[in-house]
Amino acid sequence: MANRLRVTALISLAMLNACTLGAGVAVAGLLPARLALWNIPRVATAPVAAPGQVLRPAQRSGPLPTSGGLSSALTPILASSALGSHVGVVVTDPASGAVLWSSGARSPTQPASTAKLITAVAALTVLGPGARFTTRVVAGATAGSIILVGGGDPTLAAGPPPASDYPQPATLKSLADATARSLRARGRSQVQLSYGTSLFTGPLMAPGWTTGYITSGNTTPITSLEVDQGRLTPSGAPEDADDQDNFRPRSFTPAADAAGAFASFLEAGGISVTGPVAEGAAAENRGAAGAAGAGAAGAGAAGAATIAAVKSPPLSDIVGMMLRESNNVIAEDLARQVALHTHAPASFSGAATAVTSVLASLGISGIHLVDGSGLSPDDRVTPTALTSLVALASGTAHPRLRSAITGMPVAGFSGTLAPGQSVFGHFRGPALGVVQAKTGNLDTVAALAGLAYDQQGQVLAFAFMADQVPPASLAQAAAAIDAMATALAGCGCR
């Protein structure tokens, strides 16, 4: 009986194998003959090609547009009533500085946020693209006391931001974790905390600023210690996200909010904070480190030992963030860093004077500022000054300024030139991807300054500024300026 079962099993297996082989032959016969030509992918043995330069310096690559051609392209748009009665326009060849066409180019005009280009160039000139800003914790004057010292880092966050945020900022949580480790190593589990903001001086609001700038989510009072540029969640906590669409009121007490968040992180790390957290004695920290990583002058409270520190992203990344977002708090902090590094008071007036002086040393005039962001209606800049600094930053003589160009929004794709991100962004085909510029707008101001590639392949610098826009016509004025940028990119203008 066992032998019979074994024979039956062997016969069944043989029949199954025969059927499988037959099916395989049948399917193979149905396959197209060309499948026999398939090649298995292989990794190439050739060396990886090095990438070329993404953004070349502004050099002449084609025939320049003529004055008559530019006039024909731009004059009809300039006639738009939405632009108001005071409009300045200039188009230049950035390689040579030659003015190709202009109208009102030397007339002082409210720049709005195009002033951030000025702040960017000044900061990169003085500090260099690799500069970083340091937030520290130092030992206080009494045993068991510590001071959180604001270093003017405009990108400092409270807790970890989303991984998608770029650049990734230093955080108070990281600083608190390092502080807690250091304190525990010294056998201390309890501290008294204060905070220092003496790096910056003067009023917290610039001339011409109103509290409406804070309640509308445009800025926070300017201090050397703040987190998330004063942005808050609906519950009033630091937002911990680079949320450009957060137009909720920002913090009126950014330094105290930052210190409170730091205290909470210390408590979570096992360090008890006793007593009230208040602003302490003067504690200076100049805060910036150059590309080589050497710290600048200053050291917390006089003679105080550093317990822990965190550093910001490099200035080149911060400049890009400021320009893409039109971030007012970043602009004001960077202007003060220019003041500190030129030995001027780190106040609104001191920073404005320092920035203007740096630009004058580069040969650029026609600038009168009272802040670093362009929020103040008292700022005045000529269109000629804007195109001059665009040419300076895009040329070959000052490579450390390049992030002032690469950081600007790109028409139709990024920052405030992306659709729906500002009153600008209504570009047609010729401008998409080939206009790179800084926007600026206030209630009666619309401005755009940057670079455009025209149809002949020539790089052109331009500034279009209108600061007497009729009430309720801002969107139409911005659309007219978008149309001028589109016309500039879309014509050979011969």
Side-chain angles (χ1 to χ4, degrees), residues 385-411:
L386 289 179
T387 54
S388 295
L389 68 90
V390 166
L392 193 74
S394 61
T396 58
H398 300 276
R400 68 192 294 164
L401 304 181
R402 185 55 57 83
S403 55
I405 297 299
T406 59
M408 289 193 297
V410 177

Side-chain angles (χ1 to χ4, degrees), residues 11-285:
I11 292 173
S12 298
L13 287 173
M15 292 178 63
L16 179 61
N17 287 337
C19 290
T20 301
L21 289 173
V25 171
V27 171
L30 297 175
L31 292 174
R34 63 177 180 271
L35 293 184
L37 301 177
W38 274 5
N39 290 316
I40 299 173
R42 296 176 175 86
V43 177
T45 57
V48 176
Q53 193 170 14
V54 176
L55 182 65
R56 301 184 305 275
Q59 297 174 328
R60 189 170 302 161
S61 58
L64 288 171
T66 65
S67 177
L70 288 170
S71 179
S72 296
L74 299 177
T75 299
I77 306 172
L78 280 173
S80 170
S81 61
L83 291 171
S85 58
H86 187 221
V87 184
V89 175
V90 61
V91 179
T92 70
D93 170 21
S96 67
V99 175
L100 304 177
W101 191 76
S102 69
S103 173
R106 296 189 179 277
S107 179
T109 306
Q110 286 188 55
S113 285
T114 59
K116 293 180 176 69
L117 277 174
I118 300 169
T119 299
V121 168
L124 289 165
T125 297
V126 172
L127 304 173
R132 297 174 185 267
F133 309 108
T134 305
T135 306
R136 297 182 303 138
V137 175
V138 301
T142 60
S145 65
I146 61 173
I147 307 172
L148 172 63
V149 183
D153 176 2
T155 60
L156 184 67
S164 58
D165 280 6
Y166 180 84
Q168 284 286 296
T171 69
L172 287 182
K173 184 180 186 308
S174 295
L175 182 60
D177 290 346
T179 300
R181 288 194 298 270
S182 179
L183 291 171
R184 286 196 297 269
R186 302 177 190 189
R188 187 167 294 280
S189 61
Q190 180 175 290
V191 294
Q192 185 176 22
L193 173 66
S194 60
Y195 60 95
T197 62
S198 63
L199 183 66
F200 295 170
T201 61
L204 302 182
M205 303 274 281
W209 285 23
T210 69
T211 56
Y213 286 165
I214 300 173
T215 58
S216 61
N218 279 288
T219 189
T220 193
I222 303 304
T223 174
S224 62
L225 177 63
E226 53 80 17
V227 288
D228 304 314
Q229 293 98 51
R231 291 189 179 110
L232 301 173
T233 64
S235 67
E239 185 171 25
D240 293 342
D242 183 27
D243 182 3
Q244 302 166 54
D245 295 322
N246 179 354
F247 298 110
R248 288 186 293 271
R250 298 201 190 190
S251 172
F252 277 87
T253 56
D257 289 354
F262 182 73
S264 297
F265 291 132
L266 277 181
E267 295 272 4
I271 303 297
S272 176
V273 178
T274 63
V277 178
E279 188 161 9
E284 183 185 359
N285 170 20

Side-chain angles (χ1 to χ4, degrees), residues 345-392:
S347 61
F348 278 105
S349 59
T353 299
V355 167
T356 303
S357 297
V358 170
L359 270 293
S361 72
L362 296 172
I364 298 177
S365 59
I367 297 172
H368 171 76
L369 299 177
V370 301
D371 64 14
S373 61
L375 271 178
S376 175
D378 298 337
D379 294 324
R380 293 293 185 274
V381 177
T382 66
T384 293
L386 289 179
T387 54
S388 295
L389 68 90
V390 166
L392 193 74

